[in-house]
Amino acid sequence: MKKIELVVLKLRDFKGIKSLDIQLDGGNAQIFGDNEVGKTTTFDAFLWLLFDKDSNNKKDFAIKTLNSDGSERHNLEHTVEGTFLVEGATVTLKKIYKEKWTKKRGQAVAEFTGHVVEHFVDEVPMSKKDYTAKVESIVDEEVFKLLTSPTYFNEQLKWQEKRKLLLEICGDISDEEVIASNTSLAKLNDLLNGKSLEDMKKIIASKKKHINEELEKIPVRIDEINKMMPETTVDVETMRQQVAKIEANIEELQEQKIRVKNGASVLDKQRQLQELEMKRSDLKRSFEADSMQKVYRAQAKLQEVQGNTQIINSKLQQADNNRKFKVDEANRIQDDISRIEKEMDELRKEYRVIEAEEFKHGDNHECPACKQSLPAEQVENARNEALAQFNESRTYRLAEINRKGISHKEHVAELNNSLTLLRNEHDAILAEMNKYQDDLVVQDKELKKAQKALETAQSSVKDVTTTDEYKSINLQIETLQADIKQLNEHAYEAVAGIDEEIDKLNLERKECNNAIAQHANIEASKERIIELEDQQVKLAQEYEKLEQITFLIEEFIRTKVNMLTDRINSKFKYARFKLFDTQVNGGLNEVCETTYKGVPYGTGLNNAAKINVGLDIINTLSAHFGIQAPIFVDNAEAVTKFIDVDTQLISLVVSEKDKQLRVEVEGQHPMLKEAI
């Protein structure tokens, strides 16, 4: 059994406590004090020293001391030091939380830039990582919290974490053991088919939800189908025969219409018309072929000249942009030269001022302490030393001005070289632009020449429509078109009558088809209703099977929990644990609730019972983990008698009369501890 005892705990400027030393020497103790005197702060300091958290398991709690107006008091070192006896060996841990003040370059006053924490083990400074490793080598954080606070298990852990820890203590029960203890569970292994209970419960819940959703939708769907079904019925076979007869009549009328429209004379004249139109197109194409070639060549030449002109303009624009950039760069350099030359003038003035300085030495030859005259030799030595310092300072400042002047002069020379180079480049660009301007003048002449050549070629193209042959063909085409129009007008009346008959038959066929389609929809709706009713029955049967599996799973859980409850409760003297709730529908809901004499910890147990139940749990956990650690009991005034514990017990007791902390250690005289 690993035993950890607290020997002494020291606080300095921690959460409002200026100075507090508690000497325990590993013994049980009672710490008395009025409200807000600092009892709980001692436990907060103890946990912060180890794990950076307070007694409420929070990291971001206030450590710093506050002024009366609530503002933070600066420049304090908030210190907690604890000496422990770990398996007979003494270990001293210390942490200092303090402000970090940083003086930035060019600032006279340091600024507050955050906080730092310093760590020490046996007075040896350590990094946070090494310090944490040292604490972990003593005890695990979660285990230590479980063993040092009677309320941590019941008030800080989630029920799932508590249940898991209890199972670690007593050992879990295998599914095979549970099934073997109850013959009604024999079928469960086959139903699970290798899946865990939790996974099967999730699968069942998902399936039941889906089935319920589908069962709710089916009556609505059936009702909608019934409402949409028409009540009338038709003789489908008769309707189909009628449609076939109508389509045969329409086909006969369409053929009759074609015969009327396509008379022999109309077809012959249409053929002649097509031949004449082709002849006219061939005439126009061959007539214009030679003269149009000249136009095409002139257009190609014009496009070539226009493209060359566009290229030269683009190069000219690019050169001009480059020229403007050189001008801007030269102006910038000229501004730099002017600025540096101005700085050089200022340096010259400063040089003349320093050079004109004269050494001056005071005539006061008295001692500043006793007011007696100083020896002449001492006065002369002081004057010589002051003169040497004056000359050294002036020489240094003049040399520094010379260095800056030389640097500026060299920089100006470099800038002038760059300026000369830019001007040369600018002149070269101007020459290039002049060349492009000359090229544009040449291209402009070429452009005008190409435009004139195109106009000449276009004017030389002959108009085919003015020739006798073209006019003769056009006259023949117009005559044929008039003949075809006259023949068609005679056939229009006959065709119109046929179209009217076809329209009537199409309308009658549409009505028959609508009736057939309506009958098909009614039959499909009836079949759909039957399908939905069958689906409703199948879903209900599937739901019933899922309910049976659910019952078996719940019976399994109930059996296992009863077995676990007995095993777990046997590990504790006072604490008992409720591991499941029975729901209204008979199902089971897994929980983990601590009780004492049948009273739930969270709803009806008084503070004394809560503390003693917590101590009982610590006794069991201490035996399980093989560790004994100091126990802090807050609000210990509620308990008249603690249950027996085998480890160091530190009770924090509210006592109105104690305006300062009073510590009573078993076997020692009471001590008053200032905690202001």
Side-chain angles (χ1 to χ4, degrees):
M1 178 72 72
K2 185 176 186 179
K3 191 170 186 178
I4 303 170
E5 296 175 321
L6 179 60
V7 179
V8 62
L9 184 66
K10 298 179 181 180
L11 282 68
R12 299 291 184 271
D13 292 308
F14 186 84
K15 286 188 66 176
I17 293 181
K18 183 172 182 59
S19 177
L20 176 64
D21 292 355
I22 302 176
Q23 189 73 34
L24 300 172
D25 296 325
N28 295 339
Q30 290 181 303
I31 301 177
F32 297 89
D34 197 3
N35 290 327
E36 300 182 359
V37 169
K39 299 182 301 302
T40 305
T41 299
T42 61
F43 192 23
D44 291 339
F46 176 73
L47 292 175
W48 179 75
L49 176 66
L50 295 169
F51 308 117
D52 288 335
K53 296 177 183 176
D54 66 1
S55 55
N56 291 318
N57 206 33
K58 294 181 179 178
K59 286 184 74 79
D60 56 346
F61 69 101
I63 293 177
K64 300 177 71 173
T65 299
L66 304 179
N67 296 311
S68 57
D69 61 356
S71 61
E72 293 181 350
R73 189 176 300 173
H74 296 295
N75 298 308
L76 294 179
E77 292 189 352
H78 312 280
T79 306
V80 177
E81 179 180 335
T83 300
F84 299 85
L85 198 63
V86 182
E87 293 187 300
T90 301
V91 178
T92 300
L93 305 176
K94 182 167 73 173
K95 284 168 62 175
I96 302 175
Y97 180 84
K98 62 183 183 180
E99 296 175 340
K100 182 179 180 182
W101 294 80
T102 305
K103 184 184 292 185
K104 297 181 180 178
R105 181 178 294 178
Q107 291 184 348
V109 180
E111 293 183 353
F112 172 65
T113 55
H115 298 88
V116 294
V117 180
E118 296 178 350
H119 303 78
F120 303 86
V121 176
D122 295 329
E123 298 300 326
V124 179
M126 285 194 174
S127 66
K128 176 178 174 61
K129 180 180 179 181
D130 292 340
Y131 182 89
T132 302
K134 178 63 178 178
V135 173
E136 288 177 350
S137 70
I138 298 173
V139 66
D140 176 75
E141 178 179 350
E142 281 302 312
V143 172
F144 196 79
K145 290 175 183 176
L146 285 167
L147 300 181
T148 55
S149 172
T151 60
Y152 188 83
F153 177 87
N154 289 306
E155 298 179 13
Q156 295 292 337
L157 294 186
K158 297 179 181 178
W159 73 264
Q160 295 91 338
E161 295 171 337
K162 290 189 284 187
R163 191 175 187 279
K164 180 181 178 182
L165 183 56
L166 291 174
L167 291 176
E168 289 178 5
I169 294 172
C170 72
D172 202 355
I173 299 173
S174 68
D175 293 349
E176 290 75 14
E177 290 179 272
V178 178
I179 293 173
S181 69
N182 189 339
T183 56
S184 64
L185 300 176
K187 297 180 179 179
L188 189 58
N189 274 333
D190 294 336
L191 294 173
L192 291 176
N193 195 22
K195 297 181 178 64
S196 67
L197 285 173
E198 288 301 318
D199 288 344
M200 181 56 72
K201 285 167 67 177
K202 292 176 182 177
I203 292 171
I204 291 173
S206 175
K207 287 183 176 180
K208 287 169 72 174
K209 180 182 177 183
H210 176 71
I211 290 172
N212 280 327
E213 290 173 351
E214 290 300 314
L215 287 173
E216 289 176 1
K217 294 176 183 177
I218 287 174
V220 178
R221 292 173 180 169
I222 291 174
D223 184 59
E224 289 176 351
I225 293 171
N226 282 324
K227 288 179 179 178
M228 294 175 63
M229 271 198 306
E231 297 180 359
T232 57
T233 58
V234 295
D235 186 345
V236 179
E237 189 58 35
T238 301
M239 285 293 177
R240 288 176 179 156
Q241 292 175 1
Q242 183 69 17
V243 168
K245 183 178 179 181
I246 292 170
E247 288 177 346
N249 291 336
I250 290 174
E251 185 177 354
E252 184 180 346
L253 289 172
Q254 292 285 9
E255 292 176 356
Q256 183 180 347
K257 178 180 174 182
I258 293 171
R259 288 195 297 271
V260 172
K261 290 178 68 175
N262 297 335
S265 56
V266 173
L267 292 175
D268 183 56
K269 290 184 181 295
Q270 286 177 340
R271 181 181 54 76
Q272 294 178 31
L273 179 61
Q274 289 175 353
E275 292 175 354
L276 286 171
E277 287 175 344
M278 290 176 62
K279 185 177 181 181
R280 181 176 63 181
S281 297
D282 292 341
L283 175 63
K284 183 177 181 182
R285 191 163 43 251
S286 61
F287 189 81
E288 295 177 349
D290 294 337
S291 55
M292 286 304 294
Q293 287 299 322
K294 295 180 181 179
V295 173
Y296 296 149
R297 285 194 294 272
Q299 286 177 336
K301 180 62 177 177
L302 178 61
Q303 290 173 354
E304 179 185 352
V305 175
Q306 289 173 335
N308 291 337
T309 302
Q310 186 176 2
I311 291 171
I312 295 171
N313 274 320
S314 177
K315 291 181 179 179
L316 179 62
Q317 182 63 45
Q318 185 177 0
D320 189 45
N321 290 338
N322 194 14
R323 180 192 64 79
K324 290 178 181 178
F325 173 77
K326 300 295 182 183
V327 171
D328 292 341
E329 186 68 11
N331 289 337
R332 185 188 64 76
I333 292 175
Q334 188 62 56
D335 290 342
D336 287 346
I337 292 172
S338 299
R339 175 181 56 77
I340 295 172
E341 288 177 343
K342 185 176 179 182
E343 291 177 1
M344 292 174 68
D345 289 339
E346 293 297 326
L347 289 173
R348 293 187 189 99
K349 292 178 183 178
E350 186 179 354
Y351 188 93
R352 288 193 292 271
V353 171
I354 294 173
E355 193 176 36
E357 288 179 353
E358 295 182 356
F359 173 72
K360 294 180 181 180
H361 188 66
D363 296 330
N364 186 8
H365 301 157
E366 291 183 351
C367 173
C370 64
K371 304 299 182 181
Q372 293 182 359
S373 297
L374 297 170
E377 181 181 354
Q378 187 174 351
V379 172
E380 183 63 24
N381 289 338
R383 183 183 184 282
N384 291 338
E385 183 178 351
L387 177 60
Q389 290 177 351
F390 170 79
N391 290 332
E392 182 181 355
S393 172
R394 186 174 66 170
T395 301
Y396 172 77
R397 286 181 288 157
L398 291 174
E400 184 66 16
I401 291 173
N402 274 332
R403 184 189 64 77
K404 291 181 180 179
I406 292 170
S407 175
H408 284 357
K409 184 176 180 181
E410 292 173 351
H411 192 191
V412 168
E414 292 174 0
L415 292 174
N416 278 322
N417 289 337
S418 299
L419 190 61
T420 301
L421 180 61
L422 283 171
R423 286 170 178 165
N424 292 337
E425 291 174 349
H426 178 268
D427 293 343
I429 293 171
L430 282 178
E432 183 182 6
M433 291 175 65
N434 290 333
K435 177 181 176 299
Y436 290 147
Q437 293 286 2
D438 293 342
D439 291 343
L440 284 176
V441 171
V442 173
Q443 288 299 318
D444 186 57
K445 293 178 180 178
E446 290 292 323
L447 184 63
K448 291 177 180 178
K449 181 178 178 182
Q451 288 173 338
K452 185 174 181 181
L454 177 60
E455 292 172 359
T456 302
Q458 289 174 335
S459 63
S460 65
V461 176
K462 297 179 181 179
D463 186 3
V464 69
T465 61
T466 61
T467 64
D468 292 338
E469 186 178 0
Y470 188 88
K471 291 177 181 179
S472 174
I473 294 173
N474 242 12
L475 180 59
Q476 295 178 56
I477 288 173
E478 290 173 358
T479 302
L480 282 171
Q481 287 174 340
D483 292 343
I484 292 170
K485 181 179 179 182
Q486 186 177 9
L487 290 172
N488 284 333
E489 286 176 352
H490 287 297
Y492 177 77
E493 294 180 1
V495 170
I498 295 172
D499 284 338
E500 186 177 349
E501 289 296 323
I502 291 174
D503 290 340
K504 289 179 181 179
L505 290 172
N506 279 329
L507 181 60
E508 187 177 346
R509 180 178 60 180
K510 182 179 179 181
E511 291 174 352
C512 292
N513 283 331
N514 287 339
I516 293 171
Q518 188 180 68
H519 176 77
N521 288 336
I522 292 172
E523 293 302 315
S525 297
K526 290 179 180 179
E527 291 178 3
R528 180 57 180 156
I529 289 173
I530 294 172
E531 290 176 1
L532 290 172
E533 290 173 344
D534 290 343
Q535 183 183 0
Q536 193 174 31
V537 173
K538 290 178 182 178
L539 287 172
Q541 292 172 347
E542 185 177 351
Y543 192 90
E544 181 63 26
K545 290 180 182 178
L546 293 174
E547 285 285 86
Q548 292 173 3
I549 299 173
T550 301
F551 174 79
L552 281 178
I553 291 174
E554 290 174 350
E555 182 65 21
F556 173 88
I557 295 172
R558 185 182 292 105
T559 303
K560 184 173 182 177
V561 168
N562 287 334
M563 296 171 69
L564 281 173
T565 302
D566 293 340
R567 184 180 293 185
I568 289 170
N569 288 337
S570 68
K571 298 286 184 178
F572 298 86
K573 188 173 181 179
Y574 301 102
R576 295 293 179 265
F577 298 94
K578 181 182 179 182
L579 299 181
F580 70 92
D581 270 335
T582 303
Q583 297 175 306
V584 177
N585 61 2
L588 291 178
N589 196 21
E590 291 186 6
V591 296
C592 185
E593 185 176 19
T594 306
T595 66
Y596 174 65
K597 294 182 179 180
V599 179
Y601 182 95
T603 56
L605 217 55
N606 59 40
N607 285 339
K610 287 181 178 180
I611 291 172
N612 275 327
V613 165
L615 292 175
D616 181 38
I617 293 172
I618 288 177
N619 280 338
T620 301
L621 293 177
S622 182
H624 172 69
F625 290 113
I627 298 173
Q628 290 181 346
I631 302 174
F632 279 78
V633 181
D634 205 355
N635 299 314
E637 70 280 353
V639 186
T640 57
K641 180 176 176 55
F642 292 109
I643 68 169
D644 293 335
V645 292
D646 297 328
T647 185
Q648 184 180 15
L649 188 66
I650 302 169
S651 304
L652 307 178
V653 183
V654 174
S655 174
E656 185 177 357
K657 68 179 182 179
D658 291 299
K659 303 306 179 183
Q660 295 180 2
L661 292 183
R662 176 168 55 88
V663 181
E664 291 185 3
V665 181
E666 287 184 4
Q668 297 180 7
H669 292 293
M671 297 176 288
L672 284 176
K673 296 296 179 180
E674 184 180 5
I676 300 173

